[in-house]
Amino acid sequence: MISADTDIKPFDVTAIRKEFPVLQRKVKGKNLVYFDNAATAQKPQVVIDALVSYYQQFNANIHRGIHSLAEEATAAFEATRDTVKDFINAKYREEIIFTHGVTESINLVAATWGRQNIKEGDEIIISGMEHHSNIVPWQMLCQEKKAKLKIIPVDNNGELIMDEYEKLITLKTKIISIVHASNSLGTINPVKEIIEIAHQHNIIVLVDGAQSAVHLDIDVQNMDCDFFVLSSHKIYGPTGVGVLYGKKELLEEMPPYMGGGEMIKEVTFDGTTYNDLPYKFEAGTPNIADTVAFKAALDFVNEVGKDNIRKYEVALTKYAMNKLSQIEGVRLVGAAKHKTSVVSFIVDGVHPQDMGILLDNYGIAVRTGHHCCQPLMNRFEIPGTVRASFAMYNTKEEVDELVKGVEKAVKMLR
Ligand code: 7TS
């Protein structure tokens, strides 16, 4: 779906950039440098076109209508399910549940599988580098069930201490919910090893793929995770769409999350029978337009090639880490061996927020603060970091702009 006049292979960042209209804009009179991709990625024209064309040409509610528009909308919506299935290599299409995002997907599992299976005294393991959305739902469940939340510690490089992980497991451990790639440090966790160990103890594992699905090849069958969650908006797709992948046998045993239309087979005042997967978990009218457009984003990523993207992003990240670490007073946070394209840093004597405001004056968008990982920031005894996170359309020249901006800010603020 990349326009024919752009030569994309081998990886051509100039051509890629032309596909993202927002990159043409100025901020504070400067060319936009968008380094907040871990929060949300920008959208290529094909995604915007897919969104507009849905509303212009075949807007209709899905699954229920027999008229042409309803059939077309249903086909487009369900086509995204097939594309997601292939994107993460799920075995069955009914293992793909559409949600509003990672946050809802995790809450769904905690509220359904969790309520059904967690009893007083049971234990849930997460890690010290989780996003709040993979902490709070489990805390809420633990509070309700009088269960215990245990935390895999993080070392000074920002990697999980795997020996400690094994020690946390007991006969009471029921589920491990773990982030695949950290949003604040970029650390890629050894999820396959974590899952293998968990399964030896009959413990199921949820993998938070919010940050990994866009950068890494995801094969849920090979990984053997029990649940995998992702958000469209971090993979160049629209906001408001997410995925819960779950192994079919688990999803079938789980009670529904929300009640309403679509998730039922038959309703009488005496009782209700629930729909088959995946619809049992998709009550109400879903976010049809954004789900339809999500397919265009996945097709786009597949066309550019995840391998190509990853190689490029890794090189850019190394370049940025090298340049930033040479600035006096700059300290990189997180030195994991395997990382996504996230560079987090602090500057002696400069509050991350002040740095963020100054960089915005140069047109550079970074994220500052705790990145919804307050416990991790506490672990490093810092209030937060400045985070630059790279996508396929970022360039070396943009990194140079960031380095110049940080140097200027350091001089001004210290
Ligand atoms: N888990 C991780 C690892 C994340 O990075 C995020 C969002 C979420 C869960 C929640 O995803 P959502 O799509 O439901 O919001 N992370 C970020 C971030 O790093 N900056 O803004 C949002």
Side-chain angles (χ1 to χ4, degrees), residues 387-406:
R387 182 188 70 183
S389 50
F390 310 121
M392 63 164 101
Y393 40 69
N394 290 128
T395 65
K396 216 166 144 238
E397 290 72 28
E398 289 182 316
V399 173
D400 291 336
E401 287 302 311
L402 171 70
V403 170
K404 266 195 273 173
V406 173

mmCIF file of all heavy atoms in Angstrom, residues 387-406:
data_model
loop_
_atom_site.group_PDB
_atom_site.id
_atom_site.type_symbol
_atom_site.label_atom_id
_atom_site.label_comp_id
_atom_site.label_asym_id
_atom_site.label_seq_id
_atom_site.Cartn_x
_atom_site.Cartn_y
_atom_site.Cartn_z
ATOM 1 N N ARG A 387 12.805 10.933 27.771
ATOM 2 C CA ARG A 387 12.795 9.726 26.932
ATOM 3 C C ARG A 387 12.653 10.094 25.458
ATOM 4 O O ARG A 387 11.691 10.744 25.076
ATOM 5 C CB ARG A 387 11.636 8.817 27.342
ATOM 6 C CG ARG A 387 11.581 7.516 26.553
ATOM 7 C CD ARG A 387 10.333 6.727 26.846
ATOM 8 N NE ARG A 387 9.136 7.351 26.314
ATOM 9 C CZ ARG A 387 7.895 6.900 26.485
ATOM 10 N NH1 ARG A 387 7.692 5.819 27.207
ATOM 11 N NH2 ARG A 387 6.858 7.517 25.955
ATOM 12 N N ALA A 388 13.623 9.664 24.672
ATOM 13 C CA ALA A 388 13.499 9.781 23.217
ATOM 14 C C ALA A 388 13.269 8.370 22.685
ATOM 15 O O ALA A 388 14.033 7.457 23.009
ATOM 16 C CB ALA A 388 14.774 10.366 22.621
ATOM 17 N N SER A 389 12.220 8.183 21.924
ATOM 18 C CA SER A 389 11.929 6.854 21.384
ATOM 19 C C SER A 389 11.739 6.971 19.881
ATOM 20 O O SER A 389 11.038 7.856 19.409
ATOM 21 C CB SER A 389 10.691 6.275 22.066
ATOM 22 O OG SER A 389 9.623 7.204 22.057
ATOM 23 N N PHE A 390 12.402 6.081 19.160
ATOM 24 C CA PHE A 390 12.519 6.234 17.709
ATOM 25 C C PHE A 390 11.610 5.290 16.935
ATOM 26 O O PHE A 390 11.327 4.178 17.377
ATOM 27 C CB PHE A 390 13.972 5.999 17.278
ATOM 28 C CG PHE A 390 14.951 6.805 18.086
ATOM 29 C CD1 PHE A 390 15.954 6.181 18.810
ATOM 30 C CD2 PHE A 390 14.854 8.186 18.145
ATOM 31 C CE1 PHE A 390 16.851 6.915 19.576
ATOM 32 C CE2 PHE A 390 15.742 8.940 18.909
ATOM 33 C CZ PHE A 390 16.740 8.297 19.627
ATOM 34 N N ALA A 391 11.207 5.780 15.764
ATOM 35 C CA ALA A 391 10.386 4.985 14.855
ATOM 36 C C ALA A 391 11.079 4.906 13.503
ATOM 37 O O ALA A 391 12.134 5.513 13.294
ATOM 38 C CB ALA A 391 9.018 5.630 14.711
ATOM 39 N N MET A 392 10.448 4.192 12.585
ATOM 40 C CA MET A 392 11.085 3.949 11.281
ATOM 41 C C MET A 392 11.384 5.228 10.508
ATOM 42 O O MET A 392 12.246 5.247 9.642
ATOM 43 C CB MET A 392 10.221 3.013 10.431
ATOM 44 C CG MET A 392 8.859 3.575 10.080
ATOM 45 S SD MET A 392 8.096 2.668 8.719
ATOM 46 C CE MET A 392 6.937 1.609 9.536
ATOM 47 N N TYR A 393 10.641 6.319 10.808
ATOM 48 C CA TYR A 393 10.807 7.547 10.024
ATOM 49 C C TYR A 393 11.816 8.532 10.625
ATOM 50 O O TYR A 393 12.042 9.601 10.086
ATOM 51 C CB TYR A 393 9.457 8.260 9.850
ATOM 52 C CG TYR A 393 8.565 8.261 11.082
ATOM 53 C CD1 TYR A 393 8.901 8.997 12.210
ATOM 54 C CD2 TYR A 393 7.394 7.517 11.099
ATOM 55 C CE1 TYR A 393 8.099 8.987 13.331
ATOM 56 C CE2 TYR A 393 6.575 7.500 12.218
ATOM 57 C CZ TYR A 393 6.920 8.234 13.330
ATOM 58 O OH TYR A 393 6.130 8.223 14.443
ATOM 59 N N ASN A 394 12.389 8.215 11.761
ATOM 60 C CA ASN A 394 13.360 9.140 12.375
ATOM 61 C C ASN A 394 14.725 9.009 11.692
ATOM 62 O O ASN A 394 15.023 7.989 11.076
ATOM 63 C CB ASN A 394 13.470 8.869 13.882
ATOM 64 C CG ASN A 394 12.221 9.278 14.617
ATOM 65 O OD1 ASN A 394 11.640 8.497 15.372
ATOM 66 N ND2 ASN A 394 11.781 10.506 14.396
ATOM 67 N N THR A 395 15.517 10.075 11.821
ATOM 68 C CA THR A 395 16.794 10.101 11.095
ATOM 69 C C THR A 395 17.956 10.474 12.031
ATOM 70 O O THR A 395 17.740 11.024 13.115
ATOM 71 C CB THR A 395 16.768 11.151 9.966
ATOM 72 O OG1 THR A 395 16.652 12.460 10.572
ATOM 73 C CG2 THR A 395 15.627 10.922 9.004
ATOM 74 N N LYS A 396 19.145 10.191 11.526
ATOM 75 C CA LYS A 396 20.382 10.552 12.207
ATOM 76 C C LYS A 396 20.453 12.074 12.412
ATOM 77 O O LYS A 396 20.869 12.550 13.458
ATOM 78 C CB LYS A 396 21.551 10.117 11.314
ATOM 79 C CG LYS A 396 22.749 9.624 12.023
ATOM 80 C CD LYS A 396 23.655 8.917 11.021
ATOM 81 C CE LYS A 396 25.084 9.189 11.380
ATOM 82 N NZ LYS A 396 25.917 9.818 10.403
ATOM 83 N N GLU A 397 20.004 12.804 11.392
ATOM 84 C CA GLU A 397 20.030 14.271 11.469
ATOM 85 C C GLU A 397 19.118 14.747 12.606
ATOM 86 O O GLU A 397 19.432 15.717 13.302
ATOM 87 C CB GLU A 397 19.585 14.901 10.140
ATOM 88 C CG GLU A 397 20.562 14.724 8.989
ATOM 89 C CD GLU A 397 20.620 13.293 8.451
ATOM 90 O OE1 GLU A 397 19.606 12.558 8.552
ATOM 91 O OE2 GLU A 397 21.694 12.888 7.952
ATOM 92 N N GLU A 398 18.011 14.072 12.784
ATOM 93 C CA GLU A 398 17.110 14.438 13.889
ATOM 94 C C GLU A 398 17.772 14.157 15.237
ATOM 95 O O GLU A 398 17.612 14.925 16.187
ATOM 96 C CB GLU A 398 15.794 13.671 13.777
ATOM 97 C CG GLU A 398 14.906 14.121 12.629
ATOM 98 C CD GLU A 398 13.596 13.356 12.593
ATOM 99 O OE1 GLU A 398 13.610 12.117 12.759
ATOM 100 O OE2 GLU A 398 12.544 13.988 12.403
ATOM 101 N N VAL A 399 18.500 13.049 15.310
ATOM 102 C CA VAL A 399 19.218 12.748 16.557
ATOM 103 C C VAL A 399 20.247 13.854 16.815
ATOM 104 O O VAL A 399 20.412 14.309 17.954
ATOM 105 C CB VAL A 399 19.889 11.353 16.499
ATOM 106 C CG1 VAL A 399 20.775 11.130 17.717
ATOM 107 C CG2 VAL A 399 18.841 10.252 16.406
ATOM 108 N N ASP A 400 20.905 14.306 15.750
ATOM 109 C CA ASP A 400 21.883 15.401 15.912
ATOM 110 C C ASP A 400 21.187 16.657 16.464
ATOM 111 O O ASP A 400 21.755 17.372 17.288
ATOM 112 C CB ASP A 400 22.568 15.720 14.575
ATOM 113 C CG ASP A 400 23.500 14.595 14.130
ATOM 114 O OD1 ASP A 400 23.955 13.826 15.006
ATOM 115 O OD2 ASP A 400 23.757 14.475 12.915
ATOM 116 N N GLU A 401 19.973 16.911 15.990
ATOM 117 C CA GLU A 401 19.203 18.053 16.510
ATOM 118 C C GLU A 401 18.940 17.896 18.003
ATOM 119 O O GLU A 401 19.032 18.840 18.785
ATOM 120 C CB GLU A 401 17.850 18.181 15.779
ATOM 121 C CG GLU A 401 17.934 18.691 14.360
ATOM 122 C CD GLU A 401 18.593 20.065 14.277
ATOM 123 O OE1 GLU A 401 18.202 20.965 15.042
ATOM 124 O OE2 GLU A 401 19.531 20.206 13.464
ATOM 125 N N LEU A 402 18.583 16.669 18.387
ATOM 126 C CA LEU A 402 18.327 16.396 19.813
ATOM 127 C C LEU A 402 19.594 16.649 20.626
ATOM 128 O O LEU A 402 19.547 17.300 21.683
ATOM 129 C CB LEU A 402 17.863 14.937 19.998
ATOM 130 C CG LEU A 402 17.762 14.445 21.447
ATOM 131 C CD1 LEU A 402 16.601 15.128 22.179
ATOM 132 C CD2 LEU A 402 17.563 12.916 21.510
ATOM 133 N N VAL A 403 20.712 16.146 20.127
ATOM 134 C CA VAL A 403 21.976 16.292 20.851
ATOM 135 C C VAL A 403 22.304 17.785 21.009
ATOM 136 O O VAL A 403 22.652 18.242 22.107
ATOM 137 C CB VAL A 403 23.113 15.526 20.125
ATOM 138 C CG1 VAL A 403 24.470 15.849 20.719
ATOM 139 C CG2 VAL A 403 22.838 14.028 20.188
ATOM 140 N N LYS A 404 22.133 18.531 19.917
ATOM 141 C CA LYS A 404 22.379 19.980 19.984
ATOM 142 C C LYS A 404 21.446 20.634 20.994
ATOM 143 O O LYS A 404 21.854 21.487 21.790
ATOM 144 C CB LYS A 404 22.150 20.616 18.600
ATOM 145 C CG LYS A 404 23.425 20.746 17.777
ATOM 146 C CD LYS A 404 23.217 21.695 16.598
ATOM 147 C CE LYS A 404 22.674 20.931 15.401
ATOM 148 N NZ LYS A 404 22.291 21.742 14.259
ATOM 149 N N GLY A 405 20.193 20.226 20.952
ATOM 150 C CA GLY A 405 19.190 20.789 21.859
ATOM 151 C C GLY A 405 19.529 20.502 23.308
ATOM 152 O O GLY A 405 19.439 21.387 24.172
ATOM 153 N N VAL A 406 19.934 19.265 23.593
ATOM 154 C CA VAL A 406 20.285 18.900 24.973
ATOM 155 C C VAL A 406 21.506 19.704 25.417
ATOM 156 O O VAL A 406 21.547 20.224 26.536
ATOM 157 C CB VAL A 406 20.531 17.377 25.107
ATOM 158 C CG1 VAL A 406 21.067 17.016 26.488
ATOM 159 C CG2 VAL A 406 19.250 16.596 24.825
#
